[in-house]
Amino acid sequence: MRGKRWYRALTNHLSHRLRHWQLLVLAAGLTFSMVLLGSSAIAQMDLPQTKAETGPTNAAVYHFKVGDFKAMVVSDGTLSFPPNFFVPKADPKAVTAVLKEHFLGTKDVLAHINALYLETDEHKVLIDTGAGAAFGPTAGHLLKNLEAAGITAPEIDTVILTHAHPDHIGGIVDDKGQLRLPNAQFYISQAESDFWLADTVELPKSLFDEETKARTIKGAKERLSAIQDRTTLFAMGSEVIPHIQAIDSSGHTPGQASFLITSGEESLLTTGDVFFSDPLNLENPDWEVAFDGDPEQGVIARRQLLETVTAQRRLLLVPHMPFPGLGHVRTQGDAYGWEPIVWRFVV
C-alpha cells in the first residue's frame, strides 16, 4: 500500500510539473507570437508613410544598341498639364474626343522626359540633362537612374543639348548652382546660344503668359551662363562630334537641333521637341502647341520632320513620348501615327 501511495504521489508531482512547463512553453509561444504580430502591425502602420519610397517601380532605363554603340534611354520622370494649356487654340471637344478614343485621361496630358546616354568610340555622351529641380518631385531623376545603371555623373565627358527649355537643361546645375556633370564638355547650336544669351530676349509669338515667359528666359540664361566657359557652339548640318550630326529643327525654339546618330549601317534620330504627344501632335500635326516659341513655325517644322522620317522609315527617340520613347512614325491618311518599338529583354 505504501508503495502505491508513493507511486501516486510521484505521478501527481510529475503531472503538476509537466503542466507547469507546458504552461511556460505556451506562455513563451504566445509572447513570441505577440512580438511578431506587434512588429507586423508596426510595419503596417509605417507603410503609408514609406510607400512612395519603398514601393515597386517599373524600369527607368532601357538598354539597346545603335550599330556598335551601347545606348540607354534613361527616364528623368514625368510632367503633366491640362490639354487646353498644351494645345490652347484647338477645339476642346475635338481634343477630348481624340484622348477618349485612345483611352487616355481627358484632364491631363502626361509627358515623359527621356534622355539618351550613348557610348561612342571616344565619348560617353548624354543628350539633354533632364529637368533637375525645375518641376518638382515627378521629374529630375536622370542622374539617379543613370547611377543605378552603373554610370556616374563624373564619367560623362560630352553633353549635347537639343535646346534650352528647362526640362532639357534643368539638370545642368544643382540647387546650389554647382555643375552636376563636372567633367563634361557641352555642345549647343550657335543659334540657340545666341538667342538665349542676348542682352534682350523676347518671345513675342509664344502662347505662354508673361510670367512663364520670364521664368523660361531666366532659367535659360542662368544655366547656359554656368557652362559658357566649357561650351562648344555648332552650326546646323555639322558633325557635333564624330558620328553625331545636327539637324535643324527650329520652331520650338530658334535654334533647336535634332541629332542623327550613325554607327555602321544603323542610325537613330533624336528629335528634340518637334512633336510631343501621340495622338494629339501626330493625328493633328497642325494644332499649335503652347510650348513652341513660334507656334506657326513649330507646325512647319513638325510637318517637315514627319514627312522626312516616314519616307526614310527612320528610328526615332522622342523625348516626351511614353518611355522609352523609341519607335517609328507611320502615315495615317493625311496625318500620322506612332509605332513604338517591341521591347527587347536582351540587348
Side-chain angles (χ1 to χ4, degrees):
M1 292 293 294
R2 288 181 181 177
K4 291 182 178 179
R5 286 197 296 270
W6 176 85
Y7 180 77
R8 281 199 297 270
L10 177 61
T11 55
N12 287 338
H13 175 73
L14 290 175
S15 297
H16 174 75
R17 296 294 295 175
L18 180 60
R19 284 196 298 272
H20 176 72
W21 281 106
Q22 286 174 331
L23 287 172
L24 286 177
V25 170
L26 178 61
L30 288 171
T31 302
F32 184 63
S33 298
M34 290 176 69
V35 169
L36 289 178
L37 288 170
S39 299
S40 177
I42 291 170
Q44 290 178 14
M45 286 166 39
D46 287 344
L47 188 59
Q49 286 80 23
T50 60
K51 185 175 182 181
E53 298 175 3
T54 61
T57 59
N58 289 319
V61 172
Y62 182 78
H63 296 266
F64 67 111
K65 296 187 77 173
V66 181
D68 294 329
F69 299 157
K70 293 180 181 179
M72 291 190 291
V73 182
V74 187
S75 175
D76 186 59
T78 60
L79 302 174
S80 62
F81 34 81
N84 62 349
F85 176 82
F86 178 53
V87 282
K89 292 186 176 182
D91 179 357
K93 292 182 179 179
V95 174
T96 297
V98 170
L99 293 172
K100 283 186 175 180
E101 182 182 354
H102 289 268
F103 303 95
L104 297 172
T106 59
K107 293 184 178 179
D108 290 291
V109 174
L110 181 68
H112 289 246
I113 306 176
N114 308 314
L116 178 67
Y117 171 79
L118 186 74
E119 293 185 3
T120 72
D121 299 330
E122 302 174 22
H123 298 285
K124 292 185 175 181
V125 182
L126 187 63
I127 295 184
D128 289 338
T129 68
F135 292 99
T138 64
H141 308 299
L142 176 60
L143 294 187
K144 176 186 70 177
N145 289 333
L146 264 173
E147 187 169 355
I151 305 299
T152 63
E155 292 180 69
I156 296 169
D157 57 66
T158 302
V159 176
I160 304 176
L161 302 172
T162 59
H163 64 291
H165 275 174
D167 52 323
H168 295 259
I169 65 168
I172 287 176
V173 295
D174 60 20
D175 55 4
K176 296 180 181 179
Q178 300 299 309
L179 292 179
R180 301 181 74 201
L181 298 151
N183 298 321
Q185 180 73 18
F186 290 79
Y187 295 80
I188 193 169
S189 79
Q190 178 85 54
E192 189 77 354
S193 179
D194 288 350
F195 177 79
W196 295 107
L197 293 179
D199 293 336
T200 302
V201 180
E202 297 179 345
L203 296 167
K205 296 183 179 181
S206 172
L207 302 178
F208 282 156
D209 60 74
E210 294 304 315
E211 182 181 353
T212 304
K213 289 181 186 179
R215 285 202 306 267
T216 301
I217 293 168
K218 181 175 182 290
K221 280 186 174 293
E222 289 178 350
R223 287 166 177 81
L224 295 185
S225 295
I227 57 173
Q228 201 165 10
D229 63 344
R230 56 174 69 199
T231 296
T232 299
L233 305 179
F234 59 81
M236 296 298 181
S238 66
E239 193 175 54
V240 181
I241 63 172
H243 307 284
I244 301 180
Q245 180 187 8
I247 307 297
D248 187 359
S249 300
S250 56
H252 180 65
T253 63
Q256 176 176 248
S258 300
F259 300 105
L260 181 62
I261 300 159
T262 305
S263 174
E265 299 297 318
E266 296 186 11
S267 62
L268 169 73
L269 182 70
T270 64
T271 66
D273 287 356
V274 182
F275 65 93
F276 308 78
S277 166
D278 174 46
L280 294 180
N281 289 153
L282 294 184
E283 293 188 7
N284 303 276
D286 295 329
W287 283 354
E288 294 184 358
V289 174
F291 301 122
D292 289 342
D294 184 339
E296 293 182 3
Q297 182 59 37
V299 169
I300 294 171
R302 184 154 49 251
R303 281 283 188 182
Q304 289 176 341
L305 180 132
L306 291 171
E307 183 178 344
T308 300
V309 299
T310 52
Q312 297 174 341
R313 299 177 64 85
R314 178 77 68 192
L315 177 63
L316 307 177
L317 171 60
V318 186
H320 295 304
M321 292 293 276
F323 183 83
L326 289 165
H328 297 84
V329 174
R330 54 176 166 75
T331 56
Q332 185 172 292
D334 294 331
Y336 303 90
W338 178 247
E339 291 291 341
I341 59 160
V342 175
W343 187 283
R344 294 183 178 181
F345 292 94
V346 179
V347 180

